[in-house]
């Protein structure tokens, strides 16, 4: 926003779409998909949109065409078992520093049907011993599902936490063929 409270011209398109794990709020800027929010009922949607407008200083426009048409198509294909890599342009502006580094490594280095431990992911970004910080990065992931934080598990084989809820994490890992087999 400018000094008079007007938006600076950036427009964020958003839509709520149904999925096998419940309603998802998707939002995209001109740079790509910027946000995915699980369990996007009316209250969750409203809070998420308010946060997005504040953090991005943007005008929010509801639209399932334009910028969101391809992400919606690819999400449908993912849930149908026909897509393993989203391959979408992503706008990383809602994350920075260590968290962004970890999330980028996760997006590029942990493919469909595989899992990685929190500590292993810390090692991959050159921060051995930073497993808890990796957990924090997963919890702040603005693009869950597309940046697959559901693929990060505990080193002892436990499923670990998940902002979308453990049942959602189990369903995503089962869809990708990781569960019900032991994780390690």
């Amino acid at each position: 926003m400018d000094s008079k409270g007007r938006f600076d011209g950036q427009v964020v398109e958003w839509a709520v779409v149904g999925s096998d794990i419940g309603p998802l709020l998707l939002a995209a800027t001109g740079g790509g998909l910027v946000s995915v929010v699980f369990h996007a009922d009316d209250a969750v949607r409203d809070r998420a949109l308010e946060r997005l407008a504040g953090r991005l200083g943007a005008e929010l426009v509801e639209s399932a065409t334009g910028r969101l048409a391809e992400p919606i198509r690819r999400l449908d294909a993912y849930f149908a078992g026909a897509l393993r890599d989203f391959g979408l342009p992503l706008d990383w502006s809602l994350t920075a520093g260590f968290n962004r580094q970890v999330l980028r490594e996760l997006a590029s280095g942990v493919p469909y049907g595989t899992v990685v431990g929190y500590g292993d992911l810390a090692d991959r970004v050159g921060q051995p011993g930073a497993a808890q910080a990796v957990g924090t990065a997963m919890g702040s992931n603005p693009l869950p599902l597309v940046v697959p934080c559901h693929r990060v598990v505990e080193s002892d084989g436990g499923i670990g936490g998940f902002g979308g809820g453990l049942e959602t994490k189990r369903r995503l890992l089962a869809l990708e063929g990781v569960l019900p087999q032991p994780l390690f």
Side-chain angles (χ1 to χ4, degrees), residues 5 37 39 44 50 54 84 92 114 121 138 175 182:
V37 178
H39 314 298
V44 168
E50 187 175 315
R84 292 176 172 244
W92 294 96
T114 66
L121 197 49
M138 296 304 102
L175 172 70

Side-chain angles (χ1 to χ4, degrees), residues 40-174:
D41 61 21
D42 292 347
V44 168
R45 177 202 65 209
D46 292 347
R47 283 191 307 272
L49 291 174
E50 187 175 315
R51 273 193 313 273
L52 271 175
R55 291 190 66 194
L56 296 174
E59 178 183 1
L60 301 174
V61 176
E62 185 175 8
S63 173
T65 60
R67 296 176 185 164
L68 290 174
E70 189 61 17
I72 291 168
R73 188 190 72 71
R74 291 186 190 196
L75 279 167
D76 288 344
Y78 170 81
F79 284 112
L83 182 80
R84 292 176 172 244
D85 181 3
F86 287 101
L88 293 166
L90 302 177
D91 179 333
W92 294 96
S93 63
L94 293 176
T95 188
F98 178 79
N99 289 359
R100 182 185 288 187
Q101 182 183 11
V102 169
L103 293 171
R104 283 182 177 266
E105 174 59 30
L106 175 63
S108 65
V110 183
Y112 182 100
T114 66
V115 294
V116 65
Y118 293 93
D120 293 334
L121 197 49
D123 288 346
R124 289 186 188 193
V125 297
Q127 298 293 324
Q132 285 185 322
V134 167
T136 299
M138 296 304 102
S140 70
N141 181 1
L143 294 159
L145 185 57
V146 176
V147 176
C149 52
H150 59 279
R151 297 180 190 152
V152 183
V153 298
E154 295 173 348
S155 61
D156 66 2
I159 196 166
F162 190 61
L166 293 181
E167 183 56 31
T168 298
K169 185 171 187 172
R170 284 186 193 96
R171 291 180 72 188
L172 293 171
L173 290 173

Side-chain angles (χ1 to χ4, degrees), residues 3-28:
S3 61
K4 295 181 181 177
R6 297 177 302 213
F7 290 106
D8 62 8
Q10 178 171 247
V11 174
V12 175
E13 293 182 20
W14 67 273
V16 174
V17 297
S19 78
D20 290 0
I21 55 171
L24 299 171
L25 168 69
L26 307 177

